Amino acid sequence: MEAVLTHLRGAIERGEYAIGERLPSEAELCRTLEVSRPVLREALRALQTMGLTVSRTGRGTFVVTDTVEDPTFGDYTAAHLLEVRRHVEIPVAGYAALRRTPDDLDRLTHLLDRMERETDTVAWVAMDTLFHLSVAEAAQNPVFRRVIEEIRDALARQSAFLNDLGGRREQSNREHRALVEALAGGSEQDAVRAMSHHLDRVETTLTDIVRPGRTGTPT
């Protein structure tokens, strides 16, 4: 899928598919690129997430820009999502370190153990969003959980995107493990540091995908 996405993205950026032009049909692209339809559809979804194309029911996929600006995950852009996550999830981690119960730790540890064994990306992504919800629950403030619930779909879309294109799963597992250890130790400072590092790595991977060779907040 990454190879197909790289090919199509490159063709759009080079102007081989002009803005406003419809991409070839799925059947034609599958024949040309010698890939299966599920692989092609994953690549087409990634193009839409990057904002390069839009799918119009019954008409096909159309190029809307030749420059990646800010990926969109559901209703939210990557930049908006990351900004909110930094303001919410970092302090949440600190509160969770101070307020978590033994049941919270058991739930998070069990969930992380399952994530580290999971090989199916779809199942892992579902557990990833549940992990972040569980950290919010451990902060013992229902408003925090409500905020994470609001962005849950966007978090899942972003997680899938980062795993498909950035190979984030194993690294994310290690970051989650560091966070759980900080929560178990009851260290607000360590928990804040662990969540900050996790979100830094999310930002870096997003930037590497969107603007290879550059760093900084995707805007």
Side-chain angles (χ1 to χ4, degrees):
M1 193 277 283
E2 291 179 46
V4 174
L5 175 61
T6 298
H7 172 82
L8 293 174
R9 177 181 178 179
I12 291 171
E13 292 176 335
R14 291 189 299 272
E16 294 175 19
Y17 298 120
I19 295 174
E21 183 179 347
R22 183 172 64 86
L23 294 183
S25 68
E26 288 187 4
E28 185 177 346
L29 285 172
C30 285
R31 287 194 300 271
T32 301
L33 301 175
E34 299 182 340
V35 295
S36 66
R37 187 156 294 194
V39 169
L40 176 67
R41 286 177 174 170
E42 284 294 321
L44 292 176
R45 277 194 289 269
L47 287 177
Q48 291 184 57
T49 297
M50 289 178 172
L52 291 170
T53 63
V54 63
S55 178
R56 295 171 182 159
T57 304
R59 297 179 59 194
T61 298
F62 291 79
V63 177
V64 292
T65 182
D66 57 8
T67 304
V68 178
E69 295 295 336
D70 193 4
T72 300
F73 303 105
D75 295 330
Y76 308 111
T77 67
H80 289 160
L81 192 60
L82 185 62
E83 183 175 65
V84 169
R85 293 188 70 184
R86 286 193 183 281
H87 282 286
V88 174
E89 291 194 85
I90 291 175
V92 159
Y95 286 127
L98 299 175
R99 300 171 180 172
R100 86 290 183 277
T101 66
D103 285 345
D104 291 325
L105 289 177
D106 286 345
R107 185 182 308 111
L108 283 164
T109 300
H110 177 66
L111 183 58
L112 184 55
D113 288 342
R114 289 174 58 200
M115 292 174 72
E116 289 175 339
R117 294 192 301 269
E118 185 58 64
T119 57
D120 180 75
T121 298
V122 174
W124 188 92
V125 164
M127 288 187 282
D128 184 32
T129 55
L130 181 58
F131 178 89
H132 286 272
L133 276 171
S134 298
V135 173
E137 284 184 342
Q140 308 302 325
N141 182 330
V143 179
F144 285 137
R145 179 187 170 89
R146 189 68 175 268
V147 172
I148 302 303
E149 280 279 11
E150 167 61 28
I151 62 174
R152 184 175 187 170
D153 177 67
L155 290 178
R157 290 169 184 260
Q158 183 184 72
S159 180
F161 182 79
L162 293 175
N163 277 288
D164 287 340
L165 303 181
R168 276 275 304 157
R169 190 165 61 197
E170 290 186 7
Q171 185 180 54
S172 188
N173 283 339
R174 291 194 294 270
E175 293 158 13
H176 287 162
R177 178 64 68 182
L179 176 59
V180 170
E181 290 174 354
L183 298 183
S187 171
E188 179 181 10
Q189 184 177 17
D190 288 348
V192 164
R193 185 182 299 114
M195 184 62 83
S196 296
H197 175 68
H198 178 56
L199 296 180
D200 284 345
R201 297 308 304 163
V202 167
E203 179 180 8
T204 298
T205 305
L206 272 169
T207 303
D208 287 345
I209 293 169
V210 174
R211 299 186 181 91
R214 294 175 57 183
T215 57
T217 304
T219 58

